[in-house]
Amino acid sequence: MATIKEVATAAGVSPSTVSRILANDTWGKEETRKRVLNAIKELQYNPNALARQFRTQETKTIIVIIPDLSNTIFHEITLGIEAEADAHNYKVLIVDTKRQLSLESYYLNAIQQHEYDGVISMDANIPRKLLEQFATKYPLVVALMNIPGSQIPTVRIDNIAATAAAMKHLIRLGHKSIAHITSSSDLFAYKERLDTYREELIKNNLSVNPQLIKAGEATISGGFEMANQLIASGEKFTAIFAAGDTMAMGAISALRQKGIRVPEDVAVVGFDDLEVSSYYNPPLTTIRQPKYKIGQYAFSKLLSIMKEEKVTEPVDILPYELVIRESCGHYL
């Protein structure tokens, strides 16, 4: 998909000249018009008047795309976005796609037909190609997710280092049989956590038992089901590393229902540090993502793009924290 900058380069003119000729085909010198129109034809550039309007008319409104508003991690990040947006007199429209791929693509395409100034996406289900095509035309920032090798502006933590910290903590406590519950490996954050889980076991001369790895829904009920699968497998495990706090909570409930004590019999570590995690019974050891700050940084980055300011670093990696509580048996 050619961009207006590529057309301008091919024709030897500025992007603004291309825009003027597209808006009025009698504008400028005939020779210049011919070069631009030939470049448009050769590059198969498909100008979209509404897309140009998206950039030129400021509406003071942005879109935030999330996959599931019921998951409080997206709620807490959105609060950070809204606070920063409000400080700059912007309104925030939240789109909950409910993890349905058809809706995700529909909403992102529909945004192109409306008057919004920019987009923040937290939905890992949106195809990478669609995001990259969108980012060439519109202000877009991805929050929370990692898109390897992409130049799409992103705000996130280092998933690999954070997972390694959680695993190292369990291994330091003497655990040798550590199970892992996760969600779809198609989502890169979960894939990174799964790969790092395996790598940390290998680095510490511990075996990787496929029977101790379960995938399901990234929900409390999903964690409950996966923990029951682990128990039913008959495989021995003394700890569970969950790729999300909701899954960890579900796992704790399943263990308790079977008479397995947490942390005395099985330690549990989560990921995200949701607000409820510190109040759960037992309070959950987890990786704290700076959710509110991720939201603030995401809007600030988007604002720079909307103002056409130079973004020196496409990816902002914010610090994480291993929060040690009672669910792993050793806490501060």
Side-chain angles (χ1 to χ4, degrees), residues 80-297:
I81 294 171
E82 289 179 325
E84 200 67 17
D86 184 62
H88 292 86
N89 298 315
Y90 273 81
K91 296 177 182 177
V92 177
L93 178 62
I94 300 170
V95 174
D96 182 358
T97 63
K98 299 177 174 62
R99 299 185 185 275
Q100 297 181 41
L101 183 58
S102 59
L103 285 177
E104 290 149 2
S105 299
Y106 168 79
Y107 278 120
L108 197 54
N109 282 311
I111 287 167
Q112 300 176 48
Q113 308 305 320
H114 293 77
E115 295 180 0
Y116 305 115
D117 295 339
V119 179
I120 296 174
S121 176
M122 290 183 269
D123 197 336
N125 295 291
I126 297 177
R128 172 174 175 160
K129 184 177 180 181
L130 181 59
L131 282 174
E132 290 180 332
Q133 288 177 343
F134 190 90
T136 63
K137 289 186 175 183
Y138 307 98
L140 170 70
V141 170
V142 169
L144 200 61
M145 302 176 294
N146 180 17
I147 308 177
S150 176
Q151 291 301 301
I152 295 176
T154 305
V155 181
R156 61 179 179 85
I157 67 165
D158 186 334
N159 257 301
I160 294 174
T163 300
M167 287 295 293
K168 284 183 170 73
H169 179 65
L170 287 172
I171 292 169
R172 278 197 302 267
L173 295 178
H175 295 286
K176 301 183 184 301
S177 298
I178 304 172
H180 182 46
I181 57 175
T182 184
S183 192
S184 173
S185 60
D186 292 336
L187 304 184
F188 200 78
Y190 292 127
K191 184 179 185 303
E192 282 186 319
R193 293 169 199 175
L194 173 59
D195 290 344
T196 307
Y197 158 83
R198 289 186 175 122
E199 289 169 8
E200 287 301 316
L201 290 176
I202 293 169
K203 284 179 184 177
N204 288 275
N205 299 314
L206 299 175
S207 61
V208 179
N209 183 350
Q211 295 300 314
L212 292 183
I213 301 172
K214 303 297 179 184
E217 293 293 323
T219 59
I220 291 177
S221 61
F224 186 90
E225 175 60 28
M226 286 183 276
N228 276 327
Q229 291 174 15
L230 288 171
I231 296 166
S233 72
E235 297 290 328
K236 179 185 176 182
F237 61 94
T238 63
I240 295 176
F241 166 56
D245 282 1
T246 53
M247 290 180 277
M249 293 173 194
I252 291 173
S253 294
L255 292 168
R256 282 180 162 176
Q257 192 177 88
K258 298 294 185 181
I260 300 170
R261 300 171 301 168
V262 177
E264 292 86 353
D265 301 322
V266 173
V268 178
V269 174
F271 202 108
D272 290 334
D273 193 30
L274 303 180
E275 183 179 4
V276 69
S277 300
S278 62
Y279 300 101
Y280 204 69
N281 186 17
L284 187 62
T285 294
T286 184
I287 294 294
R288 175 176 292 162
Q289 298 208 59
K291 298 171 286 297
Y292 192 86
K293 187 172 287 187
I294 285 174
Q296 290 179 306
Y297 271 62

Side-chain angles (χ1 to χ4, degrees), residues 7-77:
V7 171
T9 300
V13 298
S14 67
S16 60
T17 296
V18 176
S19 295
R20 289 190 181 98
I21 291 172
L22 287 171
N24 181 1
D25 59 7
T26 64
W27 184 88
K29 295 181 180 179
E30 183 177 356
E31 180 183 351
T32 302
R33 291 200 309 274
K34 284 183 178 180
R35 290 205 313 273
V36 170
L37 294 174
N38 285 337
I40 289 171
K41 184 177 180 180
E42 290 173 4
L43 294 173
Q44 297 181 329
Y45 177 63
N46 184 20
N48 184 326
L50 288 172
R52 293 197 302 277
Q53 183 185 57
F54 186 101
R55 281 194 177 274
T56 58
Q57 293 187 359
E58 189 177 38
T59 65
K60 289 289 187 178
T61 304
I62 68 163
I63 295 284
V64 174
I65 302 178
I66 61 174
D68 183 6
L69 189 57
S70 65
N71 189 328
T72 60
I73 187 171
F74 302 115
H75 174 67
E76 292 179 46
I77 293 172

